[in-house]
Amino acid sequence: MQLTFHIWRQKHKDTSGAFNTYTVDGLSADMSFLEALDVLNEHIIATTSDESVAFDYDCREGICGTCSLVINGIPHGGGKGKSGVTSCQLHLRAFKDGDHVTVEPFRARSFPVIKDLVVDRSAFDRIIEKGGFISVNTGSAGDANATLVSQKAAEQAFDTAACIGCGACVASCKNSSAMLFVGAKVTHLASLPQGQVERSQRVKQMVEAHDKEGFGACSQTKACEAVCPKDISAHSIAQLNKEFLRATLAAK
């Protein structure tokens, strides 16, 4: 199998970048996309004077969300028949022999390029630091059935807790909004009894941090929902707005 890769090359955030084109033979349809990039780097080292392409990865099992790439214009390369996957779980059988594949970093002002396909997503970490956890002393772990949680609340918490913070929602949004990410974190903790103590404080601080980091506002196009590798629903954005309104009114 042969693919032609159009890869974004950029030394760092203060330099301009451009696409470089490489054609690679001997690829297998059973390879993951990151395995194909490994083969591409071997090809670059063996046949050109270019540096190998820098890209992020960790688990390569669709768990961590580190492998954040825009493939053919779509974050993680998802689309019809290929949704719900991270870049590392996208396989070359999604492409045809001879295809041209464009690979770019996640593009957002709040995600500056470090090098090539690697971006700095520490803005998400700073949002989490403002309240995306439970810091109050909840005591030692009790029996599993000691604290009653309704089925609806449990399902909502589980669904939103699936967010891996990859940033695909930001990369797909025309406003570079991270509201799906913040909404998932806020909804997850607001659904559980342990999250009630800091509920109002949490949502206000996380929304403030979101805006401070330069992320845009949500315009309800649901592009974020379409590319989320964990299928987080845009309903969590509506829930975030409810939580923020509730906290704001409670403070008056």
Side-chain angles (χ1 to χ4, degrees), residues 181-203:
F181 165 73
V182 178
K185 300 303 180 184
V186 167
T187 302
H188 165 212
L189 296 177
S191 303
L192 299 174
Q194 295 86 347
Q196 299 309 306
V197 175
E198 298 172 302
R199 185 173 178 176
S200 295
Q201 172 187 338
R202 176 184 303 112
V203 65

Side-chain angles (χ1 to χ4, degrees), residues 32-52:
S32 73
F33 198 82
L34 295 194
E35 288 173 327
L37 291 184
D38 290 336
V39 174
L40 168 64
N41 276 337
E42 292 174 358
H43 167 79
I44 290 174
I45 292 169
T47 63
T48 75
S49 59
D50 293 351
E51 293 183 7
S52 57

Side-chain angles (χ1 to χ4, degrees), residues 19-31:
F19 286 102
N20 282 14
T21 300
Y22 308 96
T23 299
V24 183
D25 291 306
L27 298 170
S28 167
D30 294 325
M31 284 182 175

